[in-house]
Amino acid sequence: MTLPEHARYTWGGDEFLVVEIAPDMSLEANFVANSIATRIEERELPGIVDICPANASLLIRFNPDELPYMDLERHVRDVDVEVRKATEGVLETRVFEVPVWYDDPYTRATGAKFREGYHQDPSGTDLEYAAHVNGLADAQEFVRRHHERPWIVSMVGFVAGLPFLYQLAPLSEQLEVPKYLSPRTDTPPLTVGIGGCFTAHYSVRGAGGYQMLGIAPAPIYDPEQKLADFTDFSVLFKTGDIVKYRPVNEAEYREIEEQVQAGTYRYKQASVTFSLTEALDDIDGHNRKLLEALNVA
């Protein structure tokens, strides 16, 4: 995919700058957005309040009394040029293995409550619908396609700790599923769902419109920071993290739940280098390289 030559800059009142890298999501657009956010943060400009990278854009909140808006725009435009000229295209990040009980009774029961008037196919389940719209044989085939390739965290937000993830797969093989016709008023905590081309990993219970695929046994948001994986921060995922979902059965789900309650559970994870160039040239080869790190972790 070819990105627009220049980002689109939009001001939101006196305190916000929106930088739109591209109108559509892509690995390239997401990489540029996150790279700009990182480099602006590294400049330690006075007056920067917050930097929020998203799928193909970023939002910068600033104090105009400390940082004139023209100065901020100049810095961002300079960084945008730097990022696009950079030849290495690498990101030092982490890869996580995340267990999921696909087709679990909790999301099934919730889905059954929200069919008529909410869902495109009231007669089936979310997984069956997801398989159908992707031309797959059955729900099991969809589950396999969902967990066999890793996903990259493209943004974190909406509610505390909720990541949106984009699958590292050729465009022709990416999974895409429409969201509910009308959002549910309930979604079990730690539901793993899909809407459009994005997986959303619900950090807490609440409303939602993504098709529900399964449920995870371990938290991704720990405000009390009880587990060791949350020692530094209450939110597990950061933009750029790589996630490999691993299917588990009920017995393993319960076992992990017990470890979480005991405070002993640790996510399997490793440090890796993500290369945009390698991913675009040979996505499956680069995926294997990323996932090898989990085998030695």
Side-chain angles (χ1 to χ4, degrees):
M1 178 179 180
T2 301
L3 296 180
E5 185 177 353
H6 302 290
R8 181 171 178 263
Y9 293 80
T10 306
W11 297 99
D14 296 330
E15 299 180 359
F16 296 92
L17 172 62
V18 178
V19 185
E20 182 184 277
I21 307 304
D24 300 311
M25 171 63 186
S26 67
L27 274 179
E28 302 98 307
N30 186 245
F31 190 89
V32 170
N34 281 292
S35 296
I36 290 176
T38 298
R39 296 197 183 198
I40 288 294
E41 185 175 6
E42 290 172 348
R43 290 196 176 196
E44 299 182 342
L45 300 174
I48 295 290
V49 178
D50 201 4
I51 305 172
C52 303
N55 293 322
S57 62
L58 64 148
L59 172 73
I60 302 174
R61 185 180 182 184
F62 67 104
N63 183 342
D65 293 329
E66 297 181 42
L67 179 61
Y69 76 94
M70 292 301 293
D71 289 350
L72 173 61
E73 182 174 344
R74 175 174 53 80
H75 279 286
V76 176
R77 288 184 181 275
D78 289 346
V79 167
D80 188 5
V81 172
E82 291 175 9
V83 167
R84 292 172 191 258
K85 285 184 177 180
T87 57
E88 67 276 9
V90 297
L91 174 69
E92 299 302 325
T93 186
R94 306 171 296 176
V95 59
F96 288 85
E97 181 180 88
V98 177
V100 179
W101 183 8
Y102 287 98
D103 200 17
D104 67 286
Y106 305 114
T107 57
R108 265 184 170 265
T110 300
K113 296 178 183 178
F114 297 93
R115 306 317 288 177
E116 295 290 343
Y118 290 88
H119 200 276
Q120 294 89 340
D121 183 9
S123 64
T125 68
D126 289 9
L127 262 172
E128 290 168 344
Y129 175 71
H132 172 71
V133 297
N134 280 276
L136 303 178
D138 51 30
Q140 289 70 34
E141 174 67 8
F142 184 90
V143 168
R144 182 185 67 79
R145 289 274 301 274
H146 185 266
H147 74 73
E148 70 179 356
R149 285 188 170 111
W151 298 72
I152 188 168
V153 176
S154 56
M155 63 174 285
V156 179
F158 188 68
V159 296
L162 189 156
F164 292 83
L165 305 101
Y166 184 75
Q167 194 168 36
L168 297 177
L171 285 176
S172 61
E173 298 178 36
Q174 283 184 343
L175 300 169
E176 290 192 28
V177 187
K179 295 190 291 185
Y180 273 42
L181 296 174
S182 182
R184 300 176 304 275
T185 56
D186 189 27
T187 306
L190 300 177
T191 290
V192 175
I194 188 169
C197 64
F198 296 103
T199 281
H201 195 135
Y202 289 74
S203 53
V204 296
R205 184 177 184 178
Y210 279 37
Q211 307 289 338
M212 295 179 290
L213 309 179
I215 196 164
I220 58 172
Y221 172 56
D222 181 7
E224 297 180 0
Q225 296 177 276
K226 293 181 178 179
L227 297 177
D229 289 321
F230 299 88
T231 300
D232 296 328
F233 196 47
S234 60
V235 172
L236 181 66
F237 294 123
K238 303 174 183 177
T239 54
D241 282 342
I242 311 295
V243 173
K244 174 64 169 65
Y245 288 110
R246 179 175 65 85
V248 299
N249 57 22
E250 181 177 2
E252 187 171 0
Y253 177 90
R254 303 296 180 201
E255 180 182 341
I256 295 172
E257 271 193 324
E258 291 178 1
Q259 293 175 23
V260 171
Q261 289 298 319
T264 60
Y265 182 75
R266 294 298 304 269
Y267 277 99
K268 190 175 183 180
Q269 60 179 285
S271 298
V272 293
T273 300
F274 174 80
S275 168
L276 178 63
T277 301
E278 291 183 30
L280 295 177
D281 288 345
D282 179 11
I283 189 69
D284 285 330
H286 192 47
N287 285 346
R288 287 191 294 271
K289 183 177 177 181
L290 293 171
L291 297 181
E292 283 173 0
L294 284 175
N295 296 329
V296 298

